[in-house]
Amino acid sequence: SEPVLKDFSLKAEPGETIALVGESGAGKSTVLNMLIGFMRPDSGEILLDGENMRNLDFRSFRRHLAVVPQETILFAGTVRQNITYGSADVTEEELWQVLKAANLDEVVKNLPQGLDTNLGEHGGRLSGGQRQRIGIARALILHPEFVVCDEPVSALDVSVQSQIINLLLDLKEKENLSYLFIAHDIGVVRYISDRIGVMYLGYLFEECPTEELFRNPLHPYTKTLL
């Protein structure tokens, strides 16, 4: 009976990376699901370029949006099939461009049949970091303007986490992408986010430039996360 989000207000500019951090149950996933369009707000508005999201054609909207989940789901198919899933008329050149952007080109070249190598059930031929990079390549093939990253490194080893974060940073500069980054660990998003929003029980307690938050967290709850 209680609303999940309370007095929540956040504005993102093009090319900006915003991170939402907080414990499970804080409301981060609700924000993500509303932005993707899986849920609608009971009150308030979500505006995209000043247009109420309720009035938009979601098929058109989602052409500009990509999601990198916590754990990329891979099918028992080839590299090519897993990356181009849901994308029509992808050329060989485009495919190699996104593979290079996702730092996968050398990995794929060393597979027995290259792009047409079967990855096995759940991508069993690849490491966890390589599977996440397949997920990033799958997102990039859509030529998105906005990428939602839902805990994309939480299931990976620390050394691999830094590789994926550095890759996302590099893509941000090259592709001029905007990100919404969802994370439990505030340390993960310190070097990729322009601003951080700290959530707790549906409230946005703090929201400010990243380095400012690390220099002077105002709320006791934020200090526990740091």
Side-chain angles (χ1 to χ4, degrees):
S1 61
E2 288 291 316
V4 176
L5 300 176
K6 310 169 185 75
D7 302 322
F8 183 92
S9 181
L10 185 67
K11 183 177 181 180
E13 299 292 344
E16 190 173 30
T17 294
I18 296 179
L20 292 180
V21 299
E23 298 172 347
S24 295
K28 305 184 303 296
S29 294
T30 300
V31 174
L32 182 151
N33 285 324
M34 287 199 298
L35 184 62
I36 295 172
F38 291 162
M39 299 171 65
R40 297 291 182 93
D42 296 320
S43 61
E45 295 177 319
I46 302 174
L47 303 177
L48 297 170
D49 292 335
E51 181 76 21
N52 193 314
M53 198 164 167
R54 289 182 184 275
N55 303 328
L56 297 178
D57 179 347
F58 270 82
R59 289 170 298 180
S60 299
F61 163 59
R62 286 184 178 135
R63 291 193 192 106
H64 304 281
L65 174 77
V67 180
V68 180
Q70 182 173 352
E71 190 168 346
T72 296
I73 298 172
L74 298 183
F75 311 106
T78 65
V79 176
R80 185 192 306 274
Q81 290 168 335
N82 270 283
I83 292 175
T84 61
Y85 173 76
S87 303
D89 304 320
V90 176
T91 67
E92 199 86 357
E93 184 182 1
E94 285 179 301
L95 197 46
W96 281 108
Q97 281 176 349
V98 299
L99 284 169
K100 186 174 182 179
N103 198 22
L104 272 171
D105 52 332
E106 292 302 321
V107 173
V108 173
K109 285 175 184 176
N110 289 325
L111 291 174
Q113 283 84 43
L115 282 169
D116 297 308
T117 302
N118 195 300
L119 294 179
E121 197 69 31
H122 305 302
R125 299 185 73 139
L126 301 176
S127 68
Q130 288 168 345
R131 286 196 292 272
Q132 278 304 79
R133 287 200 283 272
I134 289 278
I136 292 169
R138 184 187 287 168
L140 291 176
I141 206 74
L142 300 171
H143 302 293
E145 296 176 37
F146 192 72
V147 181
V148 177
C149 297
D150 184 14
E151 298 273 7
V153 299
S154 62
L156 304 174
D157 293 338
V158 174
S159 60
V160 183
Q161 284 185 4
S162 61
Q163 292 174 17
I164 298 296
I165 292 294
N166 287 334
L167 171 58
L168 292 170
L169 272 170
D170 191 42
L171 289 172
K172 178 184 175 182
E173 298 301 321
K174 289 180 180 176
E175 308 288 337
N176 194 32
L177 297 175
S178 303
Y179 288 111
L180 174 67
F181 215 102
I182 304 292
H184 282 89
D185 183 358
I186 199 169
V188 165
V189 297
R190 178 170 187 173
Y191 300 106
I192 193 172
S193 61
D194 301 305
R195 286 189 289 141
I196 291 181
V198 181
M199 297 188 66
Y200 181 68
L201 296 180
Y203 290 98
L204 188 62
F205 271 127
E206 292 191 59
E207 185 267 305
C208 63
T210 300
E211 287 310 310
E212 184 180 319
L213 184 77
F214 274 84
R215 282 198 306 268
N216 184 32
L218 300 176
H219 199 278
Y221 172 66
T222 308
K223 293 177 181 177
T224 66
L225 291 178
L226 292 170

